[in-house]
Structure formats: structure tokens, C-alpha cells
Amino acid sequence: MSSSSDTSPDAGTGSAAAAANGAGTFDGKSGFLSRPLHGYLTAHGSPPDAVLRDLAAETAALGNVSRMQIPAEQGSLLTILTAALAPSRAIEIGTFTGYSALSIARGLPAGGRLLCLDVSEQWTSVARRYWERAGVGDRVELRLGPAADSLAALPAEPTFELAFIDADKTSYPTYYELLLPRLKPNGLIIVDNVLQSGRVLDPATTEPSAVAVRAFNRMVADDPRVQVVVLPVADGLTIARKLP
């Protein structure tokens, strides 16, 4: 799900255990895990169904850009968190071909709605097809255009209970600050790619995404408005709860 360029590693070869379970392949994003351990992890989680598998396969066929898609285990986590929180309104920044949006939409309660912000008609046209196939098309609203502009145009009042950010990394602070006042107390902001394949540990890196994400991680950790945890899922996942 990214609405612009992403720097996640290229997809790699699948582990036998994961492939046998249909839980996805070793995509290189969990680089801190060995392939056997990643295979064990995915083999012992709920596998994606046929809709998600077909969406992943179609996205993989796009080539290098396919690395912007979240892995299967992250999709399962998004569905679990959404179902547990049961938000009436959720928002996603960076949709790409729709895997993360589909995962969130499937966890929404009756009447729940997901607003997706992205800039690409090309990639989101794939997403729309799979949302309809999965029977969640009526739960998802897609708005095309710069996400910061779309966010700024929303009412500046607590509306959403769940937000997922997976777009251009240099804009993470902007998206976060625009989202927080629009998030209800105890709502969650979930942020992807916060490890940058470990580049956040390299003080010498000048790679813009890694520099930006490292500063963003410190900003969120120091923010008294939220309780935050960083999880070693895929390329790193931050979960920030807005404090009452």
C-alpha cells in the first residue's frame, strides 16, 4: 500500500512451509528473521483465502513495484486489530492494489466504513476489483489525490477510530499530525515500514526515507499524546494509541 514510492526490499523466494500452508512467501521484509523461522511463523498463522492469494499473485506480476504490498501475516494482523477495535470509521493512507484495505475492511463491524486515500488510479483500479470480489466494496470509499490535501479537507474533529499509514515516508510526520486530531480517544494509528530494512540504525545513511522514518520514530516515541509500541512485523509496524 503505498501512494508513492516505497523502499521495502524486493520479494524473495518462498519457504516450503509457508507455501504449503498458503500463508505467503518470504518477501524479504522480515529481514531480521531467518527463512526457516519466517516459514514457521507464517505456517502457524491463518492463511490468506483465495481472494487474497489471487490479489497477491496479480500484484507480484507487476514486477518491482509489487514490493509495496504488505505480506500476508501483516494483513491478518490488520484484520485482527480492526475486528477487536470494531471501528465505525477507519482511514488508510496509501492503498496501492488494495491488500491492506481489504484486510481492514474485512474486520469492520456492520455499518463500518473505510476511507482510502491514494494518488494512483492505475493501482487502485486493481484494488476495486478485489474489494468487489470479496464483497466489501460497499464498505470502502476511495479518494484520489495528494493524501495531505485530502486529510486537511476532512473535518478537524475526532471521527476515526483506526488509521493505517503506508505511503511516502518523508510525509509520515505530516500525515500523523493531520490524523491525530481526527482520531477518537483510544483510537489507533498503525504505521508501516518503520524499520526501513534496518537502515534506521545507520547514522551514516543519507537515504531520504530512512532519515525521515528515523526522525518520525523519535517524534512519536516522544509524543505525550499517545502510547506507542513498535513491533518487528514485516518491515516494522508502529501502533500508537491516542490517549484520552
Side-chain angles (χ1 to χ4, degrees):
M1 41 356 74
S2 278
S3 64
S4 85
S5 61
D6 191 290
T7 55
S8 304
D10 292 333
T13 330
S15 74
N21 194 43
T25 58
F26 184 86
D27 57 11
K29 292 184 178 182
S30 297
F32 46 85
L33 294 177
S34 67
R35 289 174 186 261
L37 188 56
H38 183 268
Y40 183 88
L41 179 153
T42 54
H44 289 79
S46 299
D49 67 358
V51 178
L52 289 172
R53 290 197 305 269
D54 289 351
L55 173 54
E58 182 169 341
T59 303
L62 297 174
N64 191 50
V65 71
S66 67
R67 59 186 167 179
M68 294 194 295
Q69 181 178 269
I70 65 169
E73 64 269 24
Q74 191 172 339
S76 293
L77 179 59
L78 288 176
T79 303
I80 290 169
L81 289 174
T82 304
L85 192 61
S88 59
R89 294 289 306 279
I91 185 169
E92 174 183 79
I93 302 173
T95 295
F96 189 41
T97 55
Y99 196 108
S100 55
L102 176 51
S103 299
I104 293 169
R106 280 180 160 174
L108 291 173
R113 298 278 295 172
L114 171 64
L115 173 61
C116 292
L117 307 181
D118 203 281
V119 295
S120 174
E121 173 65 39
Q122 179 184 5
W123 304 134
T124 56
S125 65
V126 177
R128 288 180 188 273
R129 285 194 285 107
Y130 282 91
W131 297 338
E132 292 299 328
R133 177 178 163 187
V136 299
D138 60 341
R139 306 179 198 174
V140 184
E141 177 188 353
L142 175 65
R143 295 184 188 177
L144 295 178
D149 293 345
S150 297
L151 279 170
L154 295 173
E157 58 189 34
T159 303
F160 300 99
E161 294 126 310
L162 177 70
F164 180 55
I165 305 175
D166 188 10
D168 52 304
K169 312 313 171 193
T170 55
S171 296
Y172 271 16
T174 299
Y175 299 148
Y176 177 84
E177 291 295 348
L178 286 168
L179 277 171
L180 202 58
R182 294 167 170 85
L183 196 71
K184 291 183 178 181
N186 289 316
L188 301 182
I189 296 180
I190 305 171
V191 189
D192 198 17
N193 300 119
V194 297
L195 294 181
Q196 290 293 289
S197 302
R199 291 193 300 274
V200 290
L201 295 175
D202 182 5
T205 186
T206 58
E207 201 281 316
S209 291
V211 172
V213 169
R214 184 169 57 213
F216 171 78
N217 291 343
R218 174 45 53 195
M219 180 189 83
V220 176
D222 291 341
D223 188 349
R225 298 171 295 178
V226 296
Q227 179 186 20
V228 61
V229 62
V230 180
L231 302 177
V233 175
D235 190 29
L237 200 65
T238 287
I239 302 177
R241 176 177 73 98
K242 182 177 179 179
L243 297 174

